[in-house]
Amino acid sequence: KNMRRGYTFDSYMRIINKIKTQAPDASICGDVIVGFPGESEEAFQRTLDLMEAVKFDNLNTFAYSPRPNTEAALWEDQIPDDVKSERLQKLQRLSIQHATERSERY
């Protein structure tokens, strides 16, 4: 919610399922930011769950970093750098695994 994304897990999956139904070999790519202020372990796990459900062909991954003059940079619930790094590494390992699996279909 705090990132102001206009979709939920379920609405995103409806779009993905529609794509997979109409074009089973379509490549699906996305972007993920980990460590946004206030990201709970549960929210991070939900991101991993989404990755498992989608199995992206390519995923651009980033750790949140505060930017000057942004609202979130001033929030008190910043995620420690070591937690962001750990989450990013976990996410990237899973992303590589999925991309490898998906590329084997060719």
Side-chain angles (χ1 to χ4, degrees), residues 28-32 51 56-61 91 95:
I28 299 175
C29 304
D31 301 322
V32 175
M51 289 175 64
F56 291 94
D57 290 82
N58 182 57
L59 195 62
N60 301 305
T61 60
L91 192 103
S95 176

Side-chain angles (χ1 to χ4, degrees), residues 78-90:
Q78 300 293 319
I79 305 299
D81 287 342
D82 61 325
V83 173
K84 287 192 278 190
S85 178
E86 181 183 317
R87 289 178 181 175
L88 184 61
Q89 289 175 37
K90 190 172 188 176

Side-chain angles (χ1 to χ4, degrees), residues 3-4 8 15 24 35 38 41 52-53 55 64 67 69 73 79-80 99:
M3 287 186 76
R4 298 184 181 140
T8 64
I15 294 166
E41 196 60 44
E52 287 290 353
K55 298 205 185 290
Y64 169 80
R67 298 287 188 246
N69 303 313
I79 305 299

Side-chain angles (χ1 to χ4, degrees), residues 37-76:
E39 180 185 60
S40 65
E41 196 60 44
E42 180 183 342
F44 175 66
Q45 184 58 53
R46 193 80 166 142
T47 298
L48 297 177
D49 294 344
L50 180 74
M51 289 175 64
E52 287 290 353
V54 175
K55 298 205 185 290
F56 291 94
D57 290 82
N58 182 57
L59 195 62
N60 301 305
T61 60
F62 309 92
Y64 169 80
S65 58
R67 298 287 188 246
N69 303 313
T70 62
E71 207 178 303
L74 303 175
W75 295 349
E76 293 183 16

